[in-house]
Amino acid sequence: MYDGFKGKCATVMATSPGKMGGLRMLRSLQEMLMDMGAVIIPAHSAFGGAFQLFNEEGKLIDKRAQGKVKTACAQLVHHARFEANREHDCMIVKAIKQHKMMGEYGEVGI
């Protein structure tokens, strides 16, 4: 039923005109997404005072909020790339572990 969310990376953000900025609903939304199989990145943010954060066209104009959104998106992209390449990375790690490293000679009989 929720196959579209399974294994997908997500982060949650909220804004509202109030001071809390939707903070109270973030935990509930994270839990719902995790229950549906999404991998939640802990870079969540809530921005209060939404009317001061956006201009008339809906563009985010607050520099602090822009920085938080940019950071959260960068973390999301980083984790999504890791998740997308997980099988490939695991194959590489397995291949490296199969080779004897310098100083590994196996068992020595006395």
Side-chain angles (χ1 to χ4, degrees), residues 50-108:
F51 293 125
Q52 289 78 34
L53 299 176
F54 297 91
N55 64 12
E56 295 80 27
E57 291 84 36
K59 184 177 179 182
L60 185 61
I61 57 172
D62 184 76
K63 297 293 182 195
R64 184 170 175 247
Q66 286 175 349
K68 285 186 171 186
V69 170
K70 186 175 181 178
T71 299
C73 290
Q75 290 178 3
L76 181 62
V77 168
H78 173 77
H79 285 280
R81 284 181 178 158
F82 174 77
E83 288 293 324
N85 294 313
R86 180 176 286 223
E87 284 185 29
H88 184 67
D89 290 342
C90 289
M91 290 176 10
I92 293 170
V93 170
K94 286 178 187 175
I96 290 171
K97 287 182 178 180
Q98 287 177 351
H99 294 288
K100 293 286 184 190
M101 299 294 178
M102 183 182 233
E104 290 183 16
Y105 301 107
E107 292 182 28
V108 177

